[in-house]
Amino acid sequence: GNNNLSMAIATNFTWTGTGGFTAAADITRTINFGATGGSSTNAPNFTLTGSGTAVVSFASGSWFNTLNFGTTAFTVAATTLNLNNLVLSTGGTFTSLSPTMVGTGTITTNGKAVAGLTVNTGGTFTLSSALSCTTYTQTAGTIDFASFNLTCSSTATYTAGTLLNTGTITCTTWTCAGTFTMTNGTITPSTSFVVTGAFNYNGGTLSAVPTFTHTSSTVTLGKAYALTATGPYTLTAGTLTLSGFDLTTGIFASTGTGVRSIAFGTNNIILAHTTAATTVLSMANATNFSWTGTGGFTVAADITRTFTVGTTGGTSTTSPNLTLTGSGTAVLTFTTGSWFNKLDFGTTAFTLAGTTLNLNSLTLSTGGVFTNLTATMVGTGTITPNGKSIAALTINHSGTTTLAGALSTVVTATTTLTSGTLDLAGFTLTTGIFSSNNSNTRSISFGSGNITMVTTTANLANLTMQTATGFTCTGTGGFTSTADINRVFYFGTTGGGSSTNAPNITLSGSG
């Protein structure tokens, strides 16, 4: 129990040479150096000799240049030490030792594990063999893995510094703050990857994780990355930059009011959760969300899935693209009130459940059924019907909605032009009733196309534009209908009608 090395205060101490202190583990001993005044430059070498099993105790907070356990075979008591170099013994047990690497040096594990490993150095700390630990923390400096593996049974936390020549970093949870660039090796968190700083994934392998949480700064892909099929990528704040690569995840979640954005470029976030009826795009609150690029979210209709975007905070300028892939028939559900820039049903073939969506552009599939879809067009874009009908149509924005094909609604529906321009582009819009009864700035570019009103209920106002203030129209087309039942048409009866904005109306048939 003797205090064999008693230098608790090391202020103004220096040393030179390659030697140092030595002691045998033939009896219990206590070693204490530099809890006050110790540093990576004045800490001495300490080597244990012989193959003794008596416990040598090290005062927590002590400093050593090289701590070498030699061939001793005892269980180190719980302690935290500041080290430049560490050599463990094959016969010892070190699972209560928490080394903090504070200077340029190496660690030789000889197959032994430590408790918590911390890298907080102004230099480079190098592995000379594989290392297992309970926790890993890096706050400064460089760790050179020299292609060896680091396995953490619990948590790895990265706040600053550099990782070089990584082998496989395995842990339960990896938390990345500061700026971390991964260029090679493998990181395999088994539970979660949490990014609170900048993370650049440029090379190596970041194994699939159940959860990837991004809370600030920027995550940049330098290669494609896939989470596990169930895992959510959760973006609460910061920027996700795809940078030419796709991200595959079971769920993408980004709801709340944090300032956050996605730079898609031309790439996509692929939603691939394997459990039916899962909300795979979970962005109910889109406040402070933005995006850039021509890509967006993609998903297959191979199983039922649900999408919720911007029911709170959604706008025409922040709503993302969503493209359905494949020819699946599983029903995909869209939460009423969601917002999308471009919603493209691709070649899917299912019957859409009743919903009202806010859209800039809409592309229907030739195999789908959309007579339960009420489309509210909220920004400049196109409607590509592909021969399919929708439930109802509203145009309410300051831009232009352009038809890319003939479009029809169900015969009982009303198409409403609240504001903005409807450009028929020479195609026909068939609807039950057409309404534009307000004084907003709005127009119809008929071209050679027509709006045909086909409601089957007698004595209804098929054209309801009593107030025509703010309305203009162009083209040779106009409104058409039949006299098979009694119909009523209003235009400008309460103001705004004139010889310059009055539309054409043509009755067809011999009814």
Side-chain angles (χ1 to χ4, degrees):
N2 291 328
N3 197 338
N4 287 184
L5 177 59
S6 180
M7 296 183 64
I9 299 175
T11 305
N12 295 323
F13 172 78
T14 60
W15 64 277
T16 59
T18 58
F21 297 97
T22 67
D26 53 349
I27 61 171
T28 59
R29 306 177 189 275
T30 300
I31 311 299
N32 189 345
F33 180 89
T36 299
S39 70
S40 62
T41 57
N42 76 351
N45 298 325
F46 192 93
T47 302
L48 296 178
T49 61
S51 56
T53 58
V55 175
V56 178
S57 298
F58 296 85
S60 279
S62 289
W63 293 70
F64 299 98
N65 176 48
T66 297
L67 176 58
N68 188 341
F69 284 86
T71 57
T72 56
F74 63 92
T75 298
V76 177
T79 189
T80 299
L81 301 177
N82 301 292
L83 310 170
N84 294 337
N85 299 278
L86 175 62
V87 179
L88 305 179
S89 64
T90 58
T93 301
F94 305 95
T95 50
S96 294
L97 170 62
S98 296
T100 298
M101 310 312 292
V102 293
T104 296
T106 63
I107 183 167
T108 303
T109 63
N110 283 312
K112 295 296 180 173
V114 297
L117 173 65
T118 299
V119 176
N120 183 18
T121 172
T124 299
F125 156 62
T126 304
L127 291 183
S128 59
S129 54
L131 173 63
S132 296
C133 59
T134 304
T135 61
Y136 174 82
T137 304
Q138 185 169 350
T139 56
T142 298
I143 176 171
D144 186 344
F145 287 82
S147 297
F148 292 108
N149 296 341
L150 171 66
T151 301
C152 307
S153 61
S154 181
T155 300
T157 302
Y158 176 96
T159 58
T162 303
L163 285 79
L164 296 177
N165 303 313
T166 56
T168 298
I169 306 172
T170 304
C171 58
T172 300
T173 301
W174 177 276
T175 301
C176 172
T179 299
F180 169 39
T181 299
M182 183 177 178
T183 57
N184 53 32
T186 303
I187 297 180
T188 55
S190 60
T191 300
S192 64
F193 196 102
V194 181
V195 176
T196 59
F199 173 58
N200 304 311
Y201 180 44
N202 294 335
T205 300
L206 176 60
S207 295
V209 291
T211 62
F212 192 114
T213 304
H214 178 178
T215 62
S216 67
S217 198
T218 302
V219 171
T220 303
L221 297 188
K223 61 180 294 187
Y225 178 57
L227 280 73
T228 59
T230 58
Y233 187 109
T234 301
L235 173 63
T236 59
T239 299
L240 170 60
T241 302
L242 298 188
S243 194
F245 300 93
D246 290 339
L247 170 67
T248 302
T249 179
I251 298 170
F252 188 90
S254 184
T255 189
T257 59
V259 178
R260 59 215 192 274
S261 63
I262 303 174
F264 286 103
T266 59
N267 288 87
N268 300 302
I269 296 175
I270 302 166
L271 306 173
H273 204 290
T274 55
T275 302
T278 298
T279 299
V280 295
L281 183 54
S282 179
M283 297 180 63
N285 189 337
T287 304
N288 292 323
F289 172 76
S290 62
W291 64 277
T292 58
T294 57
F297 297 97
T298 68
V299 66
D302 51 349
I303 61 170
T304 59
R305 308 179 197 272
T306 299
F307 311 90
T308 305
V309 178
T311 50
T312 298
T315 70
S316 63
T317 57
T318 62
S319 51
N321 299 327
L322 176 61
T323 300
L324 306 187
T325 61
S327 55
T329 59
V331 176
L332 304 186
T333 301
F334 298 81
T335 300
T336 287
S338 288
W339 293 68
F340 298 96
N341 176 50
K342 295 179 180 179
L343 177 58
D344 187 345
F345 284 87
T347 58
T348 55
F350 63 92
T351 299
L352 184 67
T355 188
T356 299
L357 300 178
N358 302 290
L359 309 168
N360 293 337
S361 293
L362 171 64
T363 299
L364 305 179
S365 65
T366 58
V369 178
F370 305 97
T371 50
N372 293 317
L373 169 61
T374 297
T376 299
M377 311 310 291
V378 292
T380 293
T382 60
I383 301 175
T384 305
N386 282 316
K388 294 296 180 175
S389 300
I390 60 175
L393 174 65
T394 296
I395 298 166
N396 185 14
H397 57 86
S398 59
T400 300
T401 293
T402 303
L403 294 190
L407 174 66
S408 61
T409 69
V410 297
V411 296
T412 57
T414 299
T415 293
T416 304
L417 174 61
T418 304
S419 63
T421 297
L422 170 60
D423 185 352
L424 298 184
F427 295 106
T428 297
L429 168 62
T430 303
T431 187
I433 295 170
F434 188 88
S435 175
S436 186
N437 186 29
N438 62 69
S439 57
N440 297 330
T441 300
R442 62 212 192 279
S443 65
I444 301 174
S445 177
F446 286 103
S448 60
N450 298 303
I451 297 176
T452 301
M453 298 161 290
V454 295
T455 185
T456 56
T457 303
N459 300 312
L460 288 182
N462 285 208
L463 176 62
T464 59
M465 296 183 66
Q466 291 92 325
T467 300
T469 303
F471 174 78
T472 58
C473 63
T474 60
T476 58
F479 295 100
T480 69
S481 190
T482 61
D484 55 338
I485 59 171
N486 296 336
R487 303 179 188 275
V488 181
F489 307 94
Y490 291 95
F491 182 85
T493 54
T494 60
S498 71
S499 61
T500 58
N501 76 347
N504 300 326
I505 184 164
T506 301
L507 301 182
S508 62
S510 56

